[in-house]
Amino acid sequence: MNVHSHANALAPSGAGPFSSRPTARHLLGLEGVARESLLALLDDAERDLAHLSTDRSPTDELRLATVVIAMFEDSTRTRVSFQIAAKRLGATVSTFSSHGLSLSKGETLRDTLRIFEANGADVIVVRHSSPGAPAYLAEQVDSAVVNAGDGTHEHPTQGLLDLMTLRQAWGGRFDGRRIAIVGDVAHSRVARSAIFGLSTLGVAVTLAGPATLMPAEVERLGCTLAGSVDEAMEGADAVMALRIQRERMEAGLLPSLSEYTRVWGIDATRVRRMKADAVVLHPGPVNRGVELAPDVADGERSVILDQVANGVAVRCAVLRHCAGTPRAEGSGTSQSGRRAGGPAREAA
Ligand code: CP
């Protein structure tokens, strides 16, 4: 996977040739990840969710592993759920934000990650504002690298938790389903990861939003572009509202937030255009009353809190996978005593 080898990893321009380090396993994006690999991770996450709901004591699955969570951009959900997941699996966990690191003294990002590696990090979780930064760093360290969101590129663990939430809402069936993704798709790493994962699993994706916030590559992404939010949501099995960032107005891409809400906002009337059992997703943080009406965000169709809850389970599955530590079936724990980062296990 991408989860696969870094030979397939997206390289930022100017990064130079990438060498191969066969022992590390990364999750850099969902683009190109095989259906079987996605489903294997989702199945593993479902087992984690079931186990979390019955037994909150930590396991010893990553007892010998060190997980470093390096957030060079703000985060609440992703940071907290990776911390909980890593502790849940018994790992040693260190969390950093860019504030307080020696980056402020001129140290490079590469050297910063090599410090983490030299301190024994088996898995480094990285969020960074530059698209391709985790892929670049994956080539620089022997630790496994997990992309926790890189600029406008991808947010693969968010994509996985979105897939998990939809699979639960849809009774396990992806084929033949259709989702509307509404808002600032052009700048959304959440949308890109969701589109890659959903398309691989046979879900049709309709995009809707202001033309200035639509990607130029709609066809290449395999999506359909709707002319209005009503058209996109008509008969859909789900809608994903994306966060509207105020800086888009400052950049001249949006006339005003109130105009956006009137034309593209998702309210109860628009929700009723979807199928009777369709659900509403939002990656958070939500601008209530802008992209999503408060009664929809809190309504019975909303699965926003399910997304958050599934985040811990997905990140347990991803950390276990990237650390190369298979789950021991039946026990909820894996084979302890093996150092993470050892020979890669192929995902089923
Ligand atoms: N969905 C998401 O990535 O949220 P955070 O920015 O709070 O991590």
Short mmCIF file of all heavy atoms in Angstrom, two decimals, residues 74-78 127 155 158 283-284, ligand 1:
data_model
loop_
_atom_site.label_atom_id
_atom_site.label_comp_id
_atom_site.label_asym_id
_atom_site.label_seq_id
_atom_site.Cartn_x
_atom_site.Cartn_y
_atom_site.Cartn_z
N ASP A 74 -2.17 23.13 13.19
CA ASP A 74 -3.13 22.90 14.28
C ASP A 74 -3.98 21.64 14.03
O ASP A 74 -4.30 21.31 12.89
CB ASP A 74 -4.08 24.10 14.42
CG ASP A 74 -3.35 25.31 14.99
OD1 ASP A 74 -2.24 25.14 15.50
OD2 ASP A 74 -3.91 26.42 14.90
N SER A 75 -4.36 21.01 15.11
CA SER A 75 -5.23 19.83 15.03
C SER A 75 -5.85 19.59 16.39
O SER A 75 -5.19 19.77 17.42
CB SER A 75 -4.42 18.60 14.62
OG SER A 75 -5.18 17.43 14.78
N THR A 76 -7.11 19.19 16.41
CA THR A 76 -7.73 18.69 17.64
C THR A 76 -8.02 17.20 17.48
O THR A 76 -7.46 16.35 18.19
CB THR A 76 -9.05 19.43 17.94
OG1 THR A 76 -8.75 20.82 18.09
CG2 THR A 76 -9.69 18.92 19.22
N ARG A 77 -8.89 16.87 16.53
CA ARG A 77 -9.37 15.49 16.38
C ARG A 77 -8.26 14.50 16.06
O ARG A 77 -8.13 13.45 16.70
CB ARG A 77 -10.42 15.41 15.27
CG ARG A 77 -11.69 16.12 15.57
CD ARG A 77 -12.34 16.59 14.28
NE ARG A 77 -13.32 17.59 14.57
CZ ARG A 77 -13.00 18.87 14.88
NH1 ARG A 77 -11.73 19.26 14.90
NH2 ARG A 77 -13.93 19.73 15.17
N THR A 78 -7.46 14.86 15.08
CA THR A 78 -6.44 13.92 14.61
C THR A 78 -5.38 13.70 15.68
O THR A 78 -4.98 12.57 15.96
CB THR A 78 -5.81 14.47 13.31
OG1 THR A 78 -6.86 14.87 12.43
CG2 THR A 78 -4.95 13.43 12.64
N ARG A 127 1.67 15.95 10.52
CA ARG A 127 0.79 16.89 9.82
C ARG A 127 1.63 18.09 9.42
O ARG A 127 2.41 18.62 10.23
CB ARG A 127 -0.36 17.34 10.72
CG ARG A 127 -1.15 18.50 10.09
CD ARG A 127 -2.42 18.83 10.80
NE ARG A 127 -3.43 17.80 10.58
CZ ARG A 127 -4.71 17.95 10.89
NH1 ARG A 127 -5.14 19.08 11.43
NH2 ARG A 127 -5.57 16.98 10.67
N HIS A 155 -5.45 13.41 3.43
CA HIS A 155 -5.61 13.19 4.88
C HIS A 155 -6.14 11.75 4.99
O HIS A 155 -7.33 11.52 5.23
CB HIS A 155 -6.61 14.21 5.43
CG HIS A 155 -6.70 14.27 6.93
ND1 HIS A 155 -6.08 13.37 7.77
CD2 HIS A 155 -7.36 15.14 7.74
CE1 HIS A 155 -6.36 13.68 9.03
NE2 HIS A 155 -7.13 14.75 9.02
N GLN A 158 -8.32 10.37 7.90
CA GLN A 158 -9.67 10.94 7.85
C GLN A 158 -10.48 10.22 6.77
O GLN A 158 -11.65 9.88 6.98
CB GLN A 158 -9.59 12.44 7.55
CG GLN A 158 -10.95 13.11 7.38
CD GLN A 158 -11.69 13.30 8.68
OE1 GLN A 158 -11.09 13.63 9.69
NE2 GLN A 158 -13.01 13.09 8.67
N PRO A 283 -16.05 16.66 8.29
CA PRO A 283 -14.80 16.26 8.94
C PRO A 283 -14.49 17.06 10.20
O PRO A 283 -13.64 16.64 11.01
CB PRO A 283 -13.75 16.52 7.86
CG PRO A 283 -14.35 17.59 6.98
CD PRO A 283 -15.83 17.32 7.00
N GLY A 284 -15.15 18.24 10.34
CA GLY A 284 -14.83 19.12 11.45
C GLY A 284 -13.54 19.88 11.17
O GLY A 284 -12.74 19.43 10.36
N1 CP B 1 -10.74 16.48 10.71
C1 CP B 1 -9.56 16.95 11.18
O1 CP B 1 -8.48 16.69 10.63
O2 CP B 1 -9.66 17.66 12.33
P1 CP B 1 -8.46 18.34 13.12
O3 CP B 1 -7.90 19.42 12.25
O4 CP B 1 -9.09 18.85 14.40
O5 CP B 1 -7.41 17.28 13.39
#
